[in-house]
Amino acid sequence: MPKHITEGDLALLAFAREIQQRAYVPYSNFRVGAAIYAGGEIFQGVNVENAAYGSTICAERSAALAAVTAGHTDFDAVAVIGDSDAPCVPCGACRQFLAEFNPSMRVIMSGKTDAVDVMRLDELLPEAFVRGYLDQDNGDDEE
Ligand code: THU
């Protein structure tokens, strides 16, 4: 369900848009910028491609690495902007990666037009595999 878009959402999106041009995309030429709001600070990232295509890092994970490196592991929101006609959604791997740092964070998405979508991460990735599963007794142990 579409959500109300706040001033804060648009401000975070502006940081994603600002950094988008730094994307390193010699193979796809598809530029993605991301910005994460965590601990009252903004962390930006871009997609960084590689000649070994599978070694490419998406913009969202790039921003997440910057936030964690700065000491923040609780994210409030992520904004993503890509070169797509429709607002750019995070890929499956990025949804999982982000869920580690708050499964219900806001996800603000945009593309080449002014259209903006806002969803919660748990709408994009229901039933995420999160650390709680690792903490549970899985029943395999002998008593
Ligand atoms: N890409 C991202 O940076 N984030 C996404 O969520 C979707 C895909 C990048 C990876 C690659 O550099 C390019 O977009 C085309 O797939």
Side-chain angles (χ1 to χ4, degrees), residues 2-17:
K3 287 202 167 34
H4 177 66
I5 296 162
T6 67
E7 295 281 318
D9 293 339
L10 296 178
L12 192 61
L13 185 59
F15 280 98
R17 187 179 287 113

Side-chain angles (χ1 to χ4, degrees), residues 25 28 30 32 47 49 56-60 80 88-91 94:
V25 290
S28 74
F30 186 83
V32 184
N47 52 333
E49 298 186 343
T56 291
I57 297 181
C58 291
E60 299 91 320
V80 188
C88 185
V89 292
C91 78
C94 285

Side-chain angles (χ1 to χ4, degrees), residues 33-135:
I36 287 173
Y37 186 62
E41 294 181 54
I42 307 280
F43 300 93
Q44 294 167 299
V46 295
N47 52 333
V48 181
E49 298 186 343
N50 190 273
Y53 298 166
S55 298
T56 291
I57 297 181
C58 291
E60 299 91 320
R61 276 179 282 170
S62 170
L65 296 177
V68 174
T69 300
H72 297 285
T73 54
D74 186 10
F75 301 174
D76 296 306
V78 59
V80 188
I81 185 164
D83 279 335
S84 45
D85 292 328
C88 185
V89 292
C91 78
C94 285
R95 295 177 198 197
Q96 175 64 33
F97 197 85
L98 290 167
E100 180 76 18
F101 305 110
N102 176 3
S104 59
M105 74 180 77
R106 278 174 92 79
V107 184
I108 301 107
M109 299 162 281
S110 194
K112 288 190 292 190
T113 73
D114 290 340
V116 178
D117 281 346
V118 178
M119 295 178 74
R120 282 165 48 132
L121 184 56
D122 54 15
E123 294 177 285
L124 288 164
L125 184 67
E127 306 295 342
F129 183 86
V130 289
R131 61 190 296 173
Y133 286 97
L134 300 176
D135 296 338

